[in-house]
Amino acid sequence: MKKYTERLYNGIIKENPTFVLMLGMCPTLAVTTGAMNGLGMGLSTTVVLVLANLLISAFRKVIPNGVRMPAYIVIVASLVTIVEFIMKAYTQDLAEQLGVYIPLIVVNCIILGRAESYASKNEVLPSIFDGIGMGLGFTLGLTCIGIVREILGAGQLFGHQILSLSWFTPITIFVMAPGAFLVLAVLVAVMNIVRSKMEAKGKPLAKPSGCLTGDCSGCGQADLCTGKSGVQETVAAADPQADKEGK
Amino acid sequence: MSELYHVSSSPHVRSKDTTGRIMLYVLIALLPATIFGIVNFGYRALVLILVTIASCVCSEWVYNRITHKKNTIKDLSAVVTGLLLALNLPATLPWWEALIGGVFAIIVVKMLFGGLGQNFMNPALGARCFLLIAFAADMTNFAIDSYSGATPLAAIRAGESVNTMDMLIGRIGGTIGETSVLCILLGAIILILLGVITLRIPGTYLVTFSLFMLIFGGHGLDMQYLVAELCGGGLMLGAFFMATDYVTSPITPGGQIIYGICLGVLTGLFRVFGANAEGVSFAIILSNLLVPIIEKITIPRAFGEIREVTKHE
């Protein structure tokens, strides 16, 4: 059980895809104009991520190494299509708001990154929990950015006017593209301050490159690491940059 | 006798021009435009000027305090930034928006990139553009007392005629410091006489801009139109006080000319083909971003250096 909770902690805090790994920047910057959009985008990505991790982990011994990327894409694209149809059927407003960014989940580098670095090398159940952790971490990141941008840029929270327009002038730059960069940078900076404060107190918030369990297979920096546990051979994690160069 | 044998490392000849002194010269040169702005727009202009200067200086002090750096507010650059920012704001702007602008100029544009000398764009203009996007309605509200109509640039754009004499003296609507061409030119002459700036950047800027407007402005050789475009908006203030900012303009003479041409073309493009009537601030910050490239291609050859022949294959 410890392994599963560790996966959740890893995804939400330790290797938070938005604030620590800096993955999936396209949807992060583009759709977070409001808290609702951030939450919707995060949750739909989570669904795809969990199912993709499940399927890829289940098929990991069947998929030949040479064509694993096309195989992953086919799996992810099928899932995204299903999610898109469901969203169009039941949450039409949100689907219209998110627009092209729902189909673009296919090329979201968090999903391919987790498939490559975790699901393809681990059992089904831990992979599912890895997907849940990463997905919730992404949702948390997007929702935080969305909340800040919505409050500053429109005085609203989840579509409700919380700051009265009689005294509050919306700072419209925050619902536009430059505002996304400003808010993301400030939130990452805050995250780093918290991290260094915790370290100074002697209670490190686990560095993103460090490892808690000696489980190198889930780690992007496995081949840079000097203290390998040797529990599992980690040749396939050879290219840590691959995670970061995606969309 | 002991002085003769005093050994020290170079430099042996020191100029009296410190950063603080140059910034003081700029402040003196800005005084005519500032005073005219206060007389023209009343106490609200004075309040805005004080608010932006105070917020700039305080932000710099607080930032240095938090990051345990040597305090740099004595070099007066924050005061200049604050004053320039205020001169670029309409007098009707709420004071707290000006306060945010000052904090943005110093913290985001200047200090986060390493302080004076490291900032990649003019802090005052960066903050002005931030405010222009953030509070679009307040930043383009020039209606105050006697000047309730459109600014001259907007009027020209709408096809109306304007009084160029009023524009020269400054009895028109606009931001606090940009209206009076005479006062700005007086300040510019002070700066040139004191040797703080040369005519290279503003000269090329204005000439390129005039040529662009003659060719693409759609008014042919209409001198009144040209004068109105030259005197309207923030062109004069931008050309003499912001484009010449040491940190964000090229230091090579050739580079300064290229930079001036960039400014002129961009300003013309924005004014003639853009969505807004004004484009000086965007032209300057965009050109600021080109400065490292311009300096790289115009770096002078060291004595005796042989430039590598690049092969074109």
Side-chain angles (χ1 to χ4, degrees):
Chain A
M1 200 58 210
K2 187 167 179 268
K3 194 172 185 186
Y4 304 138
T5 50
E6 187 273 321
R7 279 291 96 196
L8 292 182
Y9 174 75
N10 179 64
I12 298 172
I13 309 283
K14 196 180 115 196
E15 288 188 11
N16 185 298
T18 308
F19 296 133
V20 180
L21 296 182
M22 297 275 166
L23 293 179
M25 285 293 117
C26 274
T28 306
L29 296 171
V31 304
T32 53
T33 50
M36 201 59 217
N37 284 2
L39 190 64
M41 185 71 204
L43 288 181
S44 44
T45 310
T46 307
V47 171
V48 176
L49 187 54
V50 172
L51 293 175
N53 267 9
L54 187 156
L55 287 176
I56 288 166
S57 176
F59 288 121
R60 70 185 187 282
K61 286 175 184 147
V62 187
I63 298 172
N65 202 29
V67 292
R68 62 185 199 285
M69 276 297 157
Y72 297 163
I73 294 277
V74 170
I75 293 172
V76 177
S78 319
L79 294 170
V80 169
T81 313
I82 296 169
V83 167
E84 191 186 359
F85 284 155
I86 293 175
M87 285 181 80
K88 277 190 176 153
Y90 294 104
T91 56
Q92 205 182 356
D93 287 345
L94 185 63
E96 272 169 24
Q97 283 278 315
L98 298 181
V100 73
Y101 289 95
I102 301 175
L104 279 179
I105 295 176
V106 177
V107 287
N108 189 315
C109 55
I110 299 174
I111 294 175
L112 284 181
R114 294 328 285 172
E116 175 77 7
S117 68
Y118 196 87
S120 61
K121 281 175 254 130
N122 286 280
E123 299 289 328
V124 175
L125 219 48
S127 297
I128 293 177
F129 277 89
D130 182 69
I132 296 174
M134 279 287 159
L136 290 183
F138 188 56
T139 311
L140 181 77
L142 291 199
T143 314
C144 284
I145 298 173
I147 287 173
V148 176
R149 289 181 68 185
E150 198 176 353
I151 291 178
L152 290 177
Q156 297 176 339
L157 189 61
F158 289 102
H160 302 289
Q161 199 73 41
I162 57 162
L163 297 177
S164 167
L165 288 180
S166 57
W167 57 269
F168 176 73
T169 313
I171 310 173
T172 43
I173 194 171
F174 283 106
V175 289
M176 297 196 270
F181 286 93
L182 292 173
V183 173
L184 177 66
V186 170
L187 289 182
V188 173
V190 170
M191 193 84 178
N192 283 342
I193 291 174
V194 172
R195 192 181 293 283
S196 58
K197 281 266 162 70
M198 298 284 272
E199 270 167 21
K201 272 188 192 166
K203 284 191 288 187
L205 196 74
K207 280 181 195 161
S209 55
C211 56
L212 289 176
T213 59
D215 176 19
C216 298
S217 58
C219 176
Q221 274 103 0
D223 57 341
L224 299 175
C225 179
T226 48
K228 257 179 227 171
S229 62
V231 177
Q232 273 168 297
E233 200 51 51
T234 55
V235 185
D239 191 6
Q241 294 303 319
D243 283 5
K244 305 201 168 178
E245 281 169 5
K247 262 231 159 195
Chain B
M1 199 61 181
S2 64
E3 277 173 33
L4 195 63
Y5 293 108
H6 190 75
V7 179
S8 70
S9 63
S10 61
H12 302 287
V13 181
R14 286 168 194 271
S15 153
K16 280 183 184 145
D17 288 338
T18 58
T19 308
R21 181 178 284 249
I22 294 207
M23 292 294 164
L24 189 66
Y25 289 160
V26 175
L27 283 178
I28 293 170
L30 279 170
L31 269 184
T34 311
I35 293 169
F36 186 88
I38 297 171
V39 171
N40 204 15
F41 294 109
Y43 74 97
R44 299 190 64 160
L46 181 64
V47 171
L48 277 192
I49 291 171
L50 294 179
V51 164
T52 51
I53 292 179
S55 90
C56 282
V57 175
C58 290
S59 323
E60 184 155 329
W61 186 79
V62 169
Y63 183 91
N64 283 325
R65 201 60 199 264
I66 290 175
T67 54
H68 309 293
K69 294 231 169 73
K70 208 180 110 196
N71 229 319
T72 48
I73 54 171
K74 275 190 190 156
D75 69 14
L76 292 180
S77 64
V79 180
V80 171
T81 299
L83 183 56
L84 275 177
L85 175 61
L87 297 185
N88 274 290
L89 303 174
T92 51
L93 196 79
W95 63 270
W96 62 272
E97 289 176 12
L99 187 86
I100 294 178
V103 174
F104 185 88
I106 295 299
I107 301 289
V108 178
V109 186
K110 187 170 139 192
M111 300 316 280
L112 282 182
F113 287 88
L116 186 70
Q118 310 291 331
N119 47 308
F120 66 108
M121 64 167 68
N122 188 313
L125 278 182
R128 178 192 139 89
C129 293
F130 170 81
L131 290 176
L132 198 59
I133 301 171
F135 307 106
D138 288 339
M139 280 295 286
T140 48
N141 173 17
F142 298 112
I144 185 163
D145 299 342
S146 47
Y147 315 117
S148 55
T151 56
L153 275 187
I156 298 172
R157 207 177 162 84
E160 295 161 26
S161 62
V162 288
N163 185 339
T164 40
M165 202 56 213
D166 277 352
M167 295 176 74
L168 213 57
I169 299 169
R171 300 210 59 80
I172 49 170
T175 68
I176 295 170
E178 74 182 9
T179 55
S180 172
V181 174
L182 282 183
C183 289
I184 295 169
L185 285 180
L186 183 64
I189 292 169
I190 297 176
L191 281 189
I192 292 168
L193 289 182
L194 287 172
V196 177
I197 63 171
T198 63
L199 258 179
R200 231 175 262 128
I201 292 172
T204 9
Y205 185 2
L206 297 177
V207 169
T208 315
F209 176 73
S210 309
L211 287 177
F212 189 96
M213 293 315 270
L214 283 179
I215 298 169
F216 298 106
H219 286 253
L221 275 173
D222 184 353
M223 273 307 143
Q224 206 198 345
Y225 168 74
L226 189 63
V227 172
E229 280 286 350
L230 279 174
C231 299
L235 183 63
M236 286 296 167
L237 186 66
F240 287 103
F241 287 95
M242 320 247 237
T244 53
D245 175 15
Y246 283 170
V247 180
T248 53
S249 63
I251 50 169
T252 54
Q256 291 179 342
I257 287 168
I258 299 176
Y259 176 70
I261 294 172
C262 278
L263 288 168
V265 171
L266 281 176
T267 309
L269 271 178
F270 289 144
R271 279 200 185 172
V272 177
F273 302 107
N276 299 321
E278 179 57 298
V280 172
S281 42
F282 286 114
I284 296 179
I285 62 172
L286 273 176
S287 304
N288 284 164
L289 301 181
L290 295 177
V291 165
I293 306 170
I294 295 175
E295 285 188 334
K296 198 172 177 189
I297 58 172
T298 54
I299 194 161
R301 208 185 323 184
F303 180 70
E305 178 198 5
I306 298 165
R307 198 155 285 185
E308 278 180 41
V309 183
T310 49
K311 285 177 186 167
H312 296 284
E313 288 182 50

